[in-house]
Amino acid sequence: MELNEMEKRMLYQTEGSEWHAILHELAMASRYAGNPDRRKAADSLIGKLNSLTDGERMEIVHDIRRNYRLPRG
């Protein structure tokens, strides 16, 4: 699955340890983000992850948390 930079950043910044908690965080970001690009990224990310199984979703989340680094600047 190909994630763009904003989607990776959003997953990296989530705190949930289970899929429903992460989904709730992304839904809140989609609803209340002041930046329209962030809203669109949250909606896109939810759509991409909903097509996967729970195990696949959490594998992606754990991989992003382990290997992603916020860009400097």
Side-chain angles (χ1 to χ4, degrees), residues 1-2 5 8 22 31 44-45 50 59 63-64 68:
M1 170 178 303
E2 195 67 33
E5 188 66 28
K8 289 178 186 177
I22 294 169
R31 181 176 292 166
S44 171
L45 186 55
N50 272 333
E59 185 178 320
D63 181 57
I64 293 290
Y68 180 75

Side-chain angles (χ1 to χ4, degrees), residues 26-60:
L26 293 173
M28 292 297 108
S30 173
R31 181 176 292 166
Y32 296 112
N35 181 343
D37 291 332
R38 187 166 171 82
R39 284 187 194 144
K40 191 161 68 169
D43 289 337
S44 171
L45 186 55
I46 290 169
K48 288 177 183 179
L49 294 175
N50 272 333
S51 66
L52 302 173
T53 66
D54 285 343
E56 292 170 331
R57 292 173 190 149
M58 292 312 294
E59 185 178 320
I60 290 172

Side-chain angles (χ1 to χ4, degrees), residues 2-17:
E2 195 67 33
L3 299 177
N4 65 38
E5 188 66 28
M6 175 117 17
E7 292 168 341
K8 289 178 186 177
R9 180 180 292 220
M10 291 181 84
L11 272 183
Y12 180 76
Q13 293 174 337
T14 59
E15 294 180 2
S17 60

